[in-house]
Amino acid sequence: MPSDATPNPYADAVAFGQRMQIYRQRRGMSRPVLAGFLDKSHSWVKQVETGVIQPPKLPMILRIAELLRVRDLADLTGDQSMHVDLFIGPGHPRLAAVKSAVDAFPFASDRQAPSTLHLRHRLDRAWNARHSAPNHREVVGELLPALIRDAQLATRQADSAADRQAAQAVLSEVYSLSQFFVAYQPDSALLWRIAERGMVAAQESEDPHAIGVAAWLTAQAHRDSGPAHFDAADAVTTEALRFLEPRLADSEDKVLAIAGALQFEAGYTAARRGENGTAWGWWDKAEKTARKLPADYYHPITSFSQAIMGAHAVTVAVELHQGGESVRQAARADKTVIRSRPRRARHRIEEARAYQLDGQPDTALATLDKAHEAAPETVKYNGYARRIVLEETEARQPERRRRASDLAVKLGLLAA
């Protein structure tokens, strides 16, 4: 290997500090910035990276892993006995069946496809089940294979251009539901295949709502792939908003809602970048859009609504690592009711991150318990929740350590 080549962080010989430096540089983060996020000095980061001082304890390692978006702790520590994937949950038992339906895409069939109206009713029931069931991945995973095959068949058997466009809109939304199921599971190639097929079907449908939803999910897929993909996330969001904005004056509530959801996504990405003003500016735009919707309106896919904006404010503050502000936003947001169980659990996780940032780990664990009550599968597959729980299993206080260990067992992170 040339002397100036970048070391391979997966090689066992590379020390923790070197691995930390490699991942920090790959993310494009300076030592002072990382130090600020960790409440440490610039010299502390340098001393760790150069091996002058010993690697930190597990709670600090977990914080570093989150900031640098290192998915497997073993990749950061070099300890192959510490394989813990922080941002990917376990493979769901129904993942193989969903993958098979996506991959099959048969070109011929001796059966008649269900009507678009029939598929729409089934899809609506599936969305309702996702929002109401605590084990939503299990419920959706059972429904998806047949929905995928029937929606694919409907697009091929459509008799007219209008029928084909309507079928493509339904197929696009089936792929959107599939993306929710596949997210944070160990098959990123399948996730991207679904996202791309959803976008193609949405464009073929020429339906503004379908296009907006597909763009919203594609932007999320880019952003969750790491900082190198933030520009791609912004590009998708910007183009989708440019397409939707001329159509908003006379649009249905659902089209206005997806535009608001996209505005928040732009703010979310900006917050991940650490762009304070831009992030809150986009949140303000989304909040104004939400106010144009009926007070009781709730978008069935994105959960965008007036009620969700408080939860979105918590997310922005947390991503900006504003501990006090995130807790203040959490207190305000808790006054509203989020209808969807998984979205309510996701909000609880964001609240837990806020309390952890603010130095309130006991409250963070209590909040994660509430998230687990709302939707256990949401917590099980969420990297941030897993990181907080693992961190607190190393707490000095016996009671906190016990609570964290109990929750880690529930999440499958520790053996019972």
Side-chain angles (χ1 to χ4, degrees):
M1 178 185 290
S3 60
D4 61 347
T6 301
N8 179 3
Y10 299 95
D12 290 342
V14 180
F16 173 84
Q18 291 175 284
R19 291 168 184 267
M20 176 174 157
Q21 181 176 3
I22 291 165
Y23 281 110
R24 175 180 61 75
Q25 291 173 338
R26 285 185 179 182
R27 183 161 185 191
M29 185 182 291
S30 68
R31 279 175 177 161
V33 170
L34 178 59
F37 284 145
L38 295 172
D39 292 325
K40 294 288 187 178
S41 66
H42 164 261
S43 63
W44 182 88
V45 174
K46 182 177 180 180
Q47 287 175 323
V48 172
E49 291 185 345
T50 56
V52 174
I53 60 177
Q54 292 294 314
K57 294 186 181 297
L58 180 60
M60 181 59 71
I61 291 175
L62 287 163
R63 288 176 184 266
I64 294 168
E66 177 188 348
L67 288 164
L68 301 183
R69 301 294 290 177
V70 179
R71 293 191 175 277
D72 191 328
L73 274 186
D75 295 338
L76 182 61
T77 65
D79 183 350
Q80 297 306 304
S81 68
M82 290 184 68
H83 280 295
V84 178
D85 197 323
L86 296 174
F87 294 95
I88 298 294
H92 195 279
R94 295 193 182 275
L95 179 61
V98 173
K99 176 180 169 63
S100 178
V102 171
D103 289 346
F105 212 83
F107 288 94
S109 177
D110 57 0
R111 66 185 179 89
Q112 180 66 38
S115 69
T116 302
L117 182 61
H118 174 79
L119 287 171
R120 165 53 59 190
H121 287 321
R122 285 168 60 188
L123 185 53
D124 288 345
R125 286 198 299 272
W127 282 118
N128 288 334
R130 179 186 181 272
H131 290 303
S132 60
N135 59 332
H136 53 94
R137 285 183 186 268
E138 172 64 24
V139 173
V140 170
E142 183 178 10
L143 297 173
L144 271 173
L147 256 177
I148 293 168
R149 292 188 178 95
D150 287 349
Q152 289 172 343
L153 191 61
T155 62
R156 294 194 294 278
Q157 292 184 0
D159 294 327
S160 66
D163 288 343
R164 189 169 297 106
Q165 285 180 327
Q168 290 283 11
V170 171
L171 177 60
S172 176
E173 196 171 315
V174 169
Y175 282 136
S176 295
L177 182 61
S178 303
Q179 197 167 333
F180 273 98
F181 173 81
V182 172
Y184 308 114
Q185 295 202 54
D187 196 335
S188 57
L190 177 62
L191 177 71
W192 279 108
R193 197 149 60 248
I194 290 170
E196 289 166 359
R197 288 188 182 177
M199 182 61 83
V200 170
Q203 291 173 328
E204 290 289 330
S205 76
E206 298 185 14
D207 180 276
H209 179 255
I211 291 171
V213 170
W216 179 74
L217 284 164
T218 301
Q220 289 189 7
H222 279 300
R223 187 184 61 241
D224 289 344
S225 296
H229 300 266
F230 286 175
D231 287 346
D234 281 338
V236 172
T237 304
T238 300
E239 286 301 312
L241 285 170
R242 185 177 294 131
F243 169 78
L244 290 173
E245 280 166 359
R247 297 164 170 80
L248 295 181
D250 302 316
S251 66
E252 298 177 78
D253 287 341
K254 66 179 183 179
V255 178
L256 186 63
I258 193 58
L262 284 161
Q263 289 167 338
F264 171 69
E265 286 305 310
Y268 195 164
T269 305
R272 281 275 180 91
R273 280 197 174 100
E275 298 171 349
N276 183 76
T278 303
W280 286 114
W282 277 112
W283 182 91
D284 285 337
K285 289 181 181 179
E287 202 270 337
K288 289 175 183 176
T289 301
R291 279 198 243 118
K292 296 176 183 177
L293 293 166
D296 61 347
Y297 179 83
Y298 203 84
H299 190 256
I301 300 173
T302 67
S303 295
F304 189 80
S305 57
Q306 292 185 25
I308 208 68
M309 291 311 302
H312 283 338
V314 176
T315 296
V316 170
V318 167
E319 291 295 343
L320 290 169
H321 294 267
Q322 299 172 342
E325 178 63 20
S326 61
V327 168
R328 284 191 291 274
Q329 294 293 348
R332 292 176 57 190
D334 223 23
K335 297 174 184 177
T336 60
V337 176
I338 298 174
R339 299 182 194 173
S340 167
R341 273 182 175 265
R343 188 62 185 84
R344 189 159 65 246
R346 164 72 188 282
H347 173 52
R348 293 298 187 193
I349 293 167
E350 297 294 276
E351 286 185 320
R353 293 178 68 195
Y355 290 121
Q356 189 82 349
L357 273 174
D358 200 47
Q360 302 182 50
D362 288 307
T363 308
L365 284 175
T367 306
L368 286 179
D369 274 327
K370 292 179 182 179
H372 193 267
E373 289 171 10
E377 289 187 334
T378 296
V379 184
K380 185 176 182 178
Y381 286 83
N382 186 279
Y384 296 113
R386 291 152 65 90
R387 193 268 298 170
I388 292 171
V389 172
L390 280 172
E391 181 174 329
E392 295 308 326
T393 60
E394 296 285 317
R396 292 182 180 179
Q397 294 82 352
E399 178 59 23
R400 186 191 308 159
R401 190 165 62 244
R402 183 195 63 76
R403 291 179 62 190
S405 297
D406 288 347
L407 190 50
V409 170
K410 292 178 184 177
L411 300 183
L413 297 173
L414 294 177

